[in-house]
Amino acid sequence: DLKYYSDALALRFSRAPHYFAAASAAIAEMVRQCPAPLFADGSSSLDCEDDADDPVMLRGVIVRHLALPGCGEDSSAVLRYLHETYGSQIFISLMSQYTPMPQTTGDPLLSRRLSPKEYEALADYAVGLGIENGFLQEGDAASESFIPAFDGTGLLPDTPANPAQPV
């Protein structure tokens, strides 16, 4: 994931100073270790118009970016950085499913969903940059059915994330 280009937004929304420097260094290391995508059919790219016949990616780097409402300039900077730095070595997934949660209602930017117009502008920007190895979300990916309960349900027992509790 590469959430922010702006340190100001990273601090404001995630309390993550120097986020971009750390995240971009991690992505650089991933690309160093796996510099080219490889698909099950032996190719290094997706050629089909639709994804019905696309082969499974066996290795490679996919960087996800969650577009946030009112932060189009920052998202554009993320897309530009990724494309200028890695070109077709990576795939970029531009996600639209940001969903405001009750604890975000105090921030005017995070209190609403991303509008279709904002997402379309970013998708057009990505295409205009020349990004070809990318994934876009269509439809309403920010629906209630995609919001987890955040109460621990669905976690497997006796896992590091959910250690067994004495009875």
Side-chain angles (χ1 to χ4, degrees), residues 2 8 15-16 19-20 29 38 53 72 79 107-108 123 125 129 131 138 149 165 167:
L2 187 55
R15 296 185 194 138
Y19 171 85
F20 181 79
E29 178 58 21
L38 176 65
D53 296 321
L79 295 172
D107 192 299
Y125 181 76
L129 280 175
I131 294 173
E138 295 186 18
Q165 300 295 319
V167 180

Side-chain angles (χ1 to χ4, degrees), residues 57-69:
M57 183 184 242
L58 300 176
R59 70 173 177 248
V61 176
I62 301 173
V63 178
R64 301 182 314 166
H65 175 69
L66 177 61
L68 296 173

